[in-house]
Amino acid sequence: MAHHFASEQPEGLKNHIEKIAIVGAGGQVGKYFTEELLKAGNHKITAITRGDSTSTVPAGVEIKKIDYADQASIVEALQGQEALIITMGVRAPPDQQTRLIEAAATANVAWVLPNEWGYDHSNPGLYNDIPLGEKSAKYLEHIEKLGKSSWMGVTCGFWYEYSLSYGPAAYGFDLKNRTVTFFDDGNTRINTSTWAQCSRSVAKLLALKVLPDDANDKSPCLAHYRNKFVYVSSFKVSQRDMLNSVMRVTGTTLDDWKIEHEPSASRYKAGVEAMQKGDMSGFVQMMYTRVFYPDGSGDFETSRGLQNDVLGLPKEDMDEYTKIAVQRAQ
């Protein structure tokens, strides 16, 4: 029988997650999550890695090796875990996440945070126009169909310091050569997050109690987010806001920058055409540009609301992270 309140649970059962497994703990994104979880000190962390992986993980993390061709090895690695965090690159074989989800169900892992980091996959326009949406939805449906785990998707927008320094295909900036292409007029505001903020959101989320104490308990808990997206953000900004921040950080003026404009619709179309020819940069251009359409799809703060305050996330200094982006671009 399902328990809706902690007071209904058998005596001795805890109401907090203690053991968390993370895939990609030594990766570009996963390392930030792992470090923040360790810093919070609320959980025992286990890194799930391939047997041939050479990546390093922070001290204090247990390591369990798996073979994606051997489902039993994944199940064994997940035994006793209460939550599974999956971080993978977009080029990772799609069956790997499926295998992890199925192993989590077999091992009775209660909570899965799938590879959902980024733009709002539940937005209909983005879902239809960016190929990742349909794929992501299938993973979530699979978790629910298996019926053993619940999922939580953390929607944080694109990584700010990464995207600003990535190059023109992302936020339109070439920081090294001081050029920027504004999509339309450059005034469309989107939500974007730093690696640090998204990591804090994961640690804070998984530190919540699982169930409310009783019917009168309205404090946040994991049950409130069962099979739902959790929306967090560092900044809601436009490309012009980003440029102003870059100029403050670098001590430059508009005279030092070459500024161009491109209609977002034609830029998106060009990205799709390049992607269809096998150009990965076309995929990046298509995805980022679509989020900047002037239809509000990149502004989930307005359409969905944020959980920043509920999770106790801090306000951040945009220039601090712009400085990181500038350093990354050198």
Side-chain angles (χ1 to χ4, degrees):
M1 173 178 139
H3 298 287
H4 300 291
F5 304 109
S7 58
E8 298 174 340
Q9 293 190 104
E11 186 176 351
L13 285 187
K14 53 187 171 47
N15 196 29
H16 287 84
I17 288 174
E18 292 180 356
K19 297 180 179 180
I20 298 174
I22 180 167
V23 176
Q28 186 177 54
V29 175
K31 66 181 180 182
Y32 290 97
F33 291 0
T34 305
E35 289 168 356
E36 189 63 35
L37 286 164
L38 288 172
K39 186 166 67 174
N42 296 312
H43 308 96
K44 179 181 178 182
I45 311 301
T46 299
I48 307 298
T49 67
R50 299 187 313 273
D52 60 353
S53 174
T54 58
S55 66
T56 58
V57 299
V61 176
E62 182 180 357
I63 299 175
K64 290 194 176 182
K65 302 281 188 177
I66 63 170
D67 179 355
Y68 280 106
D70 178 8
Q71 190 69 2
S73 73
I74 312 176
V75 174
E76 182 180 356
L78 292 177
Q79 290 289 354
Q81 300 296 326
E82 296 161 278
L84 169 63
I85 301 171
I86 303 174
T87 65
M88 291 179 164
V90 294
R91 296 185 181 183
D95 69 312
Q96 289 187 356
Q97 184 162 205
T98 301
R99 290 178 179 275
L100 288 164
I101 288 168
E102 292 175 349
T106 303
N108 292 309
V109 178
W111 300 91
V112 176
L113 277 67
N115 202 38
E116 280 290 326
W117 330 100
Y119 66 88
D120 184 6
H121 288 172
S122 70
N123 178 278
L126 301 182
Y127 179 93
N128 291 328
D129 293 343
I130 302 176
L132 293 178
E134 184 176 358
K135 295 177 182 178
S136 296
K138 288 180 179 178
Y139 291 125
L140 305 183
E141 290 168 3
H142 195 41
I143 293 171
E144 293 185 28
K145 184 177 180 181
L146 290 169
K148 295 293 185 70
S149 309
S150 299
W151 61 267
M152 294 181 290
V154 177
T155 298
C156 55
F158 297 124
W159 317 113
Y160 178 67
E161 61 271 57
Y162 172 80
S163 301
L164 185 59
S165 64
Y166 182 90
Y171 282 167
F173 286 79
D174 181 343
L175 294 175
K176 193 171 184 179
N177 294 305
R178 295 182 179 172
T179 67
V180 58
T181 299
F182 285 152
F183 315 150
D184 302 318
D185 60 7
N187 286 317
T188 299
R189 301 176 77 198
I190 68 164
N191 285 104
T192 181
S193 293
T194 64
W195 277 316
Q197 188 78 315
C198 194
S199 300
R200 282 189 290 264
S201 72
V202 170
K204 296 273 192 179
L205 180 65
L206 292 176
L208 295 177
K209 57 190 174 187
V210 176
L211 296 171
D213 295 333
D214 52 41
N216 296 317
D217 183 7
K218 305 303 180 184
S219 59
C221 63
L222 290 180
H224 293 161
Y225 302 108
R226 189 186 305 276
N227 296 339
K228 294 179 181 178
F229 289 97
V230 181
Y231 295 89
V232 298
S233 175
S234 292
F235 319 113
K236 186 171 79 170
V237 290
S238 68
Q239 289 178 288
R240 290 185 182 273
D241 295 328
M242 296 178 198
L243 178 57
N244 288 335
S245 180
V246 171
M247 290 192 295
R248 287 194 298 269
V249 165
T250 59
T252 56
T253 67
L254 286 174
D255 291 337
D256 300 310
W257 285 80
K258 179 181 179 182
I259 300 175
E260 297 180 340
H261 294 259
E262 185 175 0
S264 56
S266 60
R267 182 179 173 87
Y268 168 83
K269 182 180 178 182
V272 171
E273 292 172 352
M275 178 183 67
Q276 292 171 342
K277 295 176 183 176
D279 183 352
M280 184 61 181
S281 67
F283 169 77
V284 176
Q285 176 177 312
M286 171 274 298
M287 178 173 63
Y288 275 85
T289 304
R290 180 59 186 85
V291 171
F292 274 97
Y293 270 25
D295 61 0
S297 56
D299 174 13
F300 53 77
E301 180 174 344
T302 298
S303 60
R304 308 291 187 184
L306 298 181
Q307 297 299 301
N308 285 38
D309 291 342
V310 172
L311 296 176
L313 300 179
K315 303 289 186 183
E316 294 173 290
D317 180 353
M318 183 176 174
D319 288 359
E320 176 185 347
Y321 291 94
T322 297
K323 186 178 296 184
I324 293 173
V326 170
Q327 292 169 347
R328 285 176 54 88
Q330 298 308 313

